[in-house]
Amino acid sequence: MTCRDTLQCIHEPFGDAFYYGPERLSSRYENDEKGRVDSGFTESTFKTILDRIEREGDEGKRLFIKDIIHYLFPPNGAPPSIAPSLDRKERGIGTSSKAHANGVSNGITNGNTNGTINGATHGAPYPYATDAEPGNPTVIPSEILDQFHFTFLIRHPRSSIPSYYRCTVPPLDKLTGFYNFMASEAGYDELRRMFDYLRSIGQVGPGIATQSINGAETNGHATTNEQTAANGTAITNGTATTNGNTSKIDICVVDADDLLDNPKGIIEAYCKSVGIPYSPKMLNWDSEEDQQQAKDAFEKWHGFHEDAMNSCALKPRMHPKTREEEDNEWREKFGEKGARVIRETVDANVEDYEYLKQFALKV
């Protein structure tokens, strides 16, 4: 957001469709129509969000979108199918004969239906009456995903889960409107599946940003001609080739702890990976203009970004506590039940975090 001359930033747009719109995947607001209406996003579909992104791209700046990947996935590992508003097979160029006025099919009336997935009732307009795309774990067609340069920000569950839990209990819940903690919103499983999918189709990798191949620093691109990556992706002259597709986008994973330990080094390496000129001003947002822009961007997600909005720079992290110290801290803040739920959720997501961590930027 400090690079307004060259970058147009969009903050978490896909949550509008995930939580509130006629194609919503989450059941969080299923019995809270007022909450959906008050959000102002009851008409948001995945297509309207992508249309907005396209419009903002018309300004000529490079778009930078920060979002949470599980917004593109049916929760709890449910099988995906393409969002009705993006379903080319049914829609063609115009509107699907199966679609209602709100862009949703499958017998949805007023944006509401009760589907059954694996025998369990899912109280949102999912499942859709659309086809799945082979291998694609999201509700977005691969031809659209291919238009994005994906990078990944990860954070250890011992930090992210209690931080998120705090937003779902008093006093913050009155600001956020999230009155219960849902472990399915942790998002690590979805992030790992998205990461593996993009690698499998050659959209990222196989080179890893700032890591070397055969001992040679490559900034993510292989320099050998006949090397084969572990996932079977051939590398030719530094370009990944999978199923006829080529990609020069390296695997770029940023760990939040690394970022806070070494802000300048990590941001500079990140910029190199994604092709953005580095500037020291990226590390500080203490001006009135910077603060106002952040406030405007974060406004729709009340309560979730208070710490970020009250910050003006990246600061070193607190060093990790022992497991016992963590449990005691959570118990003191959230009670016995809350501490137990947090610990269970943290432990359930550590494996996925550690898997992604092995690909993290190194400086």
Side-chain angles (χ1 to χ4, degrees):
M1 292 183 180
T2 64
C3 303
R4 289 181 288 278
D5 292 342
T6 56
L7 297 178
Q8 175 71 23
C9 294
I10 304 176
H11 180 70
E12 297 187 17
F14 290 103
D16 303 348
F18 179 81
Y19 283 116
Y20 307 114
E23 295 175 331
R24 60 191 176 276
L25 294 165
S26 173
S27 61
R28 178 174 282 283
Y29 287 95
E30 199 54 33
N31 297 316
D32 183 9
E33 184 177 1
K34 183 179 184 300
R36 297 200 304 272
V37 171
D38 289 348
S39 75
F41 301 115
T42 55
E43 300 303 315
S44 292
T45 66
F46 288 99
K47 185 178 187 304
T48 65
I49 291 169
L50 288 164
D51 288 345
R52 173 202 163 187
I53 291 171
E54 185 173 359
R55 287 194 302 272
E56 299 216 19
D58 289 341
E59 295 185 13
K61 300 177 183 179
R62 185 173 181 181
L63 291 177
F64 186 99
I65 303 166
K66 181 267 179 180
D67 220 327
I68 301 173
I69 207 67
H70 77 70
Y71 290 162
L72 308 184
F73 285 68
N76 300 309
S81 61
I82 298 302
S85 63
L86 301 173
D87 185 40
R88 293 289 181 87
K89 288 184 179 179
E90 291 191 1
R91 290 174 58 85
I93 302 299
T95 304
S96 165
S97 60
K98 294 184 180 180
H100 293 267
N102 60 11
V104 182
S105 57
N106 197 27
I108 298 172
T109 304
N110 296 325
N112 190 9
T113 189
N114 287 313
T116 301
I117 301 175
N118 295 333
T121 299
H122 184 81
Y126 190 86
Y128 308 137
T130 55
D131 292 333
E133 195 173 72
N136 184 351
T138 77
V139 301
I140 307 296
S142 59
E143 65 183 69
I144 294 177
L145 296 177
D146 190 52
Q147 299 174 34
F148 293 86
H149 180 154
F150 284 91
T151 61
F152 302 84
L153 178 65
I154 59 175
R155 189 182 185 196
H156 198 290
R158 66 174 168 240
S159 299
S160 64
I161 300 302
S163 176
Y164 188 60
Y165 187 90
R166 181 184 63 152
C167 296
T168 66
V169 297
L172 273 181
D173 59 352
K174 290 184 179 179
L175 282 177
T176 64
F178 282 33
Y179 294 101
N180 61 301
F181 176 77
M182 298 172 67
S184 63
E185 293 175 336
Y188 288 86
D189 168 71
E190 291 85 355
L191 187 62
R192 178 174 177 173
R193 284 192 282 145
M194 183 65 154
F195 179 83
D196 284 342
Y197 173 65
L198 294 177
R199 289 182 72 204
S200 73
I201 63 174
Q203 190 168 338
V204 299
I208 303 173
T210 72
Q211 296 189 31
S212 61
I213 297 178
N214 292 339
E217 173 61 45
T218 64
N219 194 37
H221 303 312
T223 55
T224 56
N225 291 325
E226 296 182 4
Q227 186 177 0
T228 302
N231 63 2
T233 302
I235 305 170
T236 306
N237 295 328
T239 302
T241 306
T242 305
N243 298 329
N245 297 321
T246 60
S247 170
K248 291 186 178 179
I249 296 176
D250 52 47
I251 292 170
C252 185
V253 177
V254 175
D255 185 277
D257 285 340
D258 296 338
L259 173 63
L260 294 177
D261 277 344
N262 184 3
K264 179 182 182 298
I266 293 295
I267 292 294
E268 197 166 8
Y270 175 76
C271 288
K272 184 178 181 181
S273 173
V274 300
I276 296 173
Y278 169 75
S279 168
K281 73 177 183 179
M282 294 176 174
L283 305 179
N284 185 285
W285 44 92
D286 199 20
S287 73
E288 183 176 341
E289 186 178 359
D290 287 338
Q291 291 289 331
Q292 186 60 49
Q293 186 184 27
K295 181 179 179 181
D296 293 343
F298 297 152
E299 186 66 23
K300 73 176 181 179
W301 296 110
H302 296 291
F304 288 102
H305 302 296
E306 304 307 295
D307 292 345
M309 290 172 65
N310 293 324
S311 69
C312 60
L314 292 171
K315 297 179 180 180
R317 62 174 172 142
M318 296 293 291
H319 286 284
K321 300 178 175 65
T322 66
R323 186 181 178 93
E324 183 179 1
E325 288 172 335
E326 290 173 349
D327 288 335
N328 288 337
E329 179 181 318
W330 301 338
R331 195 175 295 112
E332 182 179 339
K333 288 182 178 179
F334 306 114
E336 193 70 41
K337 180 180 177 181
R340 184 174 64 254
V341 170
I342 291 171
R343 172 54 66 193
E344 290 173 352
T345 309
V346 168
D347 289 349
N349 289 284
V350 166
E351 181 180 347
D352 290 330
Y353 163 80
E354 291 180 343
Y355 172 79
L356 293 166
K357 172 70 173 176
Q358 67 182 314
F359 299 95
L361 283 172
K362 300 183 186 301
V363 295

